[in-house]
Amino acid sequence: MPVGDHMALALTGRVLPAEDRRVLAAFAAQAAVVLDRRRLREEADRARTLAEGNRIRTALLAAVSHDLRTPLAGIKAAVTSLRSDDVAWSEEDQAELLEGIEEGADRLDHLVGQHCRIRCRPHR
């Protein structure tokens, strides 16, 4: 007796009368509905899990992107200032700008290191 597209209900024993075969067909159809409903529920659960994972990844990417842009902007501004021909920087000003570049680079290194520890862990 077919149960859905990919299964069948197999019985052994005597040949069933037509009335019993109709009851068996109704039972097989009900079993197919139950199995299909379970499959759909499992697919919905997987889709929900994937959607939640995507939402978390999007939020993490937005946060990381913002955290990376801040020190990058500071580094870029300090380098642009040092390379400017319009200003004669004192040694103290140059040292301060270089310190800002170094601090920004250290912050980026820290952020990337944190991100790698979070993302580069082996999956369990």
Side-chain angles (χ1 to χ4, degrees):
M1 179 72 53
V3 179
D5 294 334
H6 306 290
M7 286 189 274
L9 179 62
L11 299 175
T12 60
R14 65 180 172 86
V15 175
L16 294 176
E19 185 176 311
D20 289 346
R21 283 194 304 267
R22 282 193 299 274
V23 171
L24 184 60
F27 175 78
Q30 187 64 32
V33 168
V34 169
L35 292 172
D36 199 40
R37 187 175 295 152
R38 181 181 357 168
R39 180 188 56 79
L40 290 172
R41 189 175 337 119
E42 288 170 355
E43 287 178 10
D45 288 344
R46 280 193 297 274
R48 207 174 358 268
T49 300
L50 287 173
E52 178 65 14
N54 285 338
R55 188 188 66 72
I56 291 169
R57 276 189 289 282
T58 300
L60 178 62
L61 183 59
V64 167
S65 177
H66 173 74
D67 288 346
L68 293 175
R69 284 188 178 139
T70 302
L72 278 173
I75 291 169
K76 178 70 174 164
V79 168
T80 301
S81 296
L82 285 171
R83 294 184 64 141
S84 173
D85 294 334
D86 299 344
V87 179
W89 297 102
S90 68
E91 284 188 30
E92 183 179 299
D93 289 337
Q94 287 180 10
E96 189 175 317
L97 288 169
L98 288 170
E99 183 181 341
I101 293 169
E102 187 174 24
E103 287 173 0
D106 288 344
R107 183 170 173 202
L108 282 173
D109 183 55
H110 176 75
L111 288 170
V112 170
Q114 271 187 320
H115 178 70
C116 189
R117 279 191 299 280
I118 292 168
R119 296 285 297 163
C120 299
R121 279 187 277 180
H123 294 289
R124 295 179 189 197

